[in-house]
């Protein structure tokens, strides 16, 4: 296991934060038992053999995950989830499908300037899925923030805004500004809310600057203070911006599927330390509101 993977597995978030900017007393840790919306899920080609649909849906059901943002390499994985209507209904899972920009691993490094990716996205959007239209684009990666100004990156941001699609982007804080400059007001979800360790003050400033920006919290460095509690900076940030953050699994490798239930348990531990209204917002409401989903019974 790499150091990064080890860090991700250590994220057991238990503590208390300030709801709506108002501090509250520390609460005894208790498991959040409400629905979860997994806003960052991949069903990539290498996962489908060891983790067939029955397996992944069973893991979601056991974890109380009631909705997912599905984005996969290639998009066939997402389409298979969307087409499994009886199985997803039985598991109680709503699939929110995104078009991922990757046909293969090679596309990670050049999609932002590749017109064939732009055409692929248009074709996928026109075809839709068995569960209905695609609702977003991504996850895509920008390892160099300058590539956020690539011709296809700009086109896709504008397309997303025009069609009311959300965008899931793995990038740094510089790229966030660049992407939003192409399409002010686009609904951009910042994968990991700065996996490179952007200062929490920077995250907050970007949220203030871009009202349509949201943050997904898997792999976020510094989220806890080493004792299993949220750091003071993140307590303040989530309390000040309670409608802007959401949770996700980021099943980018099969190991994440193997530990899916444990990942969701870690979120439940963290959410259980929050006041009920705030835990529901982070665990379900924020993502559900973005995509127009009702709270499940």
């Amino acid at each position: 296991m790499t150091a990064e993977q080890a860090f991700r597995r250590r994220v057991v978030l238990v503590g208390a934060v300030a709801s709506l900017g108002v501090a509250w007393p520390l609460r005894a840790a208790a498991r959040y038992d409400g629905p979860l919306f997994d806003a960052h899920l991949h069903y990539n080609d290498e996962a489908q053999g060891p983790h067939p649909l029955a397996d992944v849906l069973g893991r979601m059901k056991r974890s109380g995950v009631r909705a997912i943002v599905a984005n996969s390499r290639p998009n066939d994985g997402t389409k298979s989830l969307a087409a499994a209507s009886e199985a997803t209904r039985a598991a109680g899972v709503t699939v929110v499908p995104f078009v991922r920009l990757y046909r293969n691993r090679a596309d990670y490094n050049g999609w932002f300037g590749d017109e064939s990716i732009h055409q692929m996205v248009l074709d996928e959007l026109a075809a839709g899925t068995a569960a209905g239209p695609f609702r977003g684009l991504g996850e895509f990666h920008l390892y160099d923030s300058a590539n956020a100004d690539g011709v296809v990156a700009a086109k896709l941001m504008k397309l997303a805004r025009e069609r009311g699609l959300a965008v899931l982007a793995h990038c740094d804080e510089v790229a966030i500004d660049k992407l939003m400059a192409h399409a002010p007001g686009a609904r951009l979800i910042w994968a990991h809310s700065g996996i490179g360790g952007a200062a929490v003050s920077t995250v907050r400033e970007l949220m203030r600057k871009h009202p349509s920006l949201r943050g997904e919290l898997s792999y976020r460095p510094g989220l806890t203070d080493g004792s299993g509690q949220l750091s003071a900076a993140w307590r303040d940030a989530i309390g000040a911006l309670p409608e802007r953050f959401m949770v996700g699994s980021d099943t980018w490798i099969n190991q994440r599927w193997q530990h899916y239930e444990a990942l969701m348990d870690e979120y439940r531990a963290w959410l259980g330390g929050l006041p009920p209204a705030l835990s529901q917002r982070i665990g379900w409401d924020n993502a559900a509101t973005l995509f127009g989903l009702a709270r499940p019974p």
Side-chain angles (χ1 to χ4, degrees), residues 21 142 179 268 283:
L142 290 165
L179 292 171
R268 289 188 179 280

Side-chain angles (χ1 to χ4, degrees), residues 18-288:
S19 178
L20 302 174
V22 179
W24 62 80
L26 290 175
R27 294 163 48 89
R31 180 182 167 87
Y32 167 72
D33 63 0
L36 291 175
F37 194 129
D38 184 344
H40 186 160
L41 182 141
H42 306 297
Y43 192 40
N44 294 332
D45 53 0
E46 64 268 24
Q48 294 163 31
H51 299 287
L53 283 171
D55 178 79
V56 298
L57 289 171
R59 292 176 186 273
M60 294 176 206
K61 184 175 183 178
R62 290 191 295 273
S63 301
V65 170
R66 304 298 303 274
I68 58 172
V69 164
N71 68 109
S72 310
R73 168 185 41 78
N75 286 300
D76 292 346
T78 294
K79 293 175 187 177
S80 67
L81 284 165
S85 57
E86 290 187 11
T88 55
R89 188 179 307 113
V93 175
T94 297
V95 177
V96 178
F98 275 34
V99 179
R100 203 165 192 203
L101 312 188
Y102 307 146
R103 300 159 296 195
N104 50 55
R105 288 188 179 275
D107 287 335
Y108 283 55
N109 296 314
W111 68 268
F112 40 82
D114 187 340
E115 287 291 349
S116 72
I117 296 292
H118 181 231
Q119 186 59 52
M120 181 267 286
V121 169
L122 293 175
D123 292 344
E124 293 284 13
L125 291 174
T129 77
F134 284 101
R135 305 294 305 277
L137 307 180
E139 180 197 20
F140 59 70
H141 296 73
L142 290 165
Y143 300 116
D144 181 342
S145 56
N147 292 329
D149 287 328
V151 61
V152 172
K155 284 183 177 181
L156 292 179
M157 286 301 298
K158 293 173 182 175
L159 177 69
R161 183 182 61 182
E162 290 166 3
R163 299 199 182 186
L165 303 171
V167 175
L168 180 61
H170 176 132
C171 61
D172 66 12
E173 61 270 26
V174 175
I176 290 291
D177 271 334
K178 288 178 175 291
L179 292 171
M180 295 302 288
H182 297 312
R187 299 189 300 167
L188 181 60
I189 303 169
W190 191 4
H192 319 299
S193 298
I195 196 170
V200 182
S201 60
T202 300
V203 176
R204 293 179 66 163
E205 179 56 34
L206 284 169
M207 294 277 180
R208 286 191 290 266
K209 183 177 181 181
H210 304 295
S212 60
L213 177 65
R214 276 82 166 179
E216 182 268 325
L217 292 170
S218 65
Y219 284 118
R220 168 62 218 194
L223 196 61
T224 58
D225 61 7
S227 66
Q229 306 242 347
L230 288 174
S231 67
W234 276 102
R235 284 201 305 272
D236 291 344
I238 292 173
L241 299 161
E243 297 178 349
R244 307 291 283 279
F245 294 101
M246 55 193 72
V247 300
S249 62
D250 190 11
T251 48
W252 68 290
I253 54 175
N254 289 352
Q255 184 185 45
R256 300 287 282 184
W257 278 117
Q258 294 160 13
H259 297 287
Y260 190 86
E261 294 96 322
L263 293 170
M264 295 299 110
D265 279 344
E266 290 170 2
Y267 279 125
R268 289 188 179 280
W270 161 36
L271 293 169
L274 306 182
L278 184 56
S279 64
Q280 181 176 312
R281 279 184 173 181
I282 306 301
W284 175 265
D285 288 349
N286 290 345

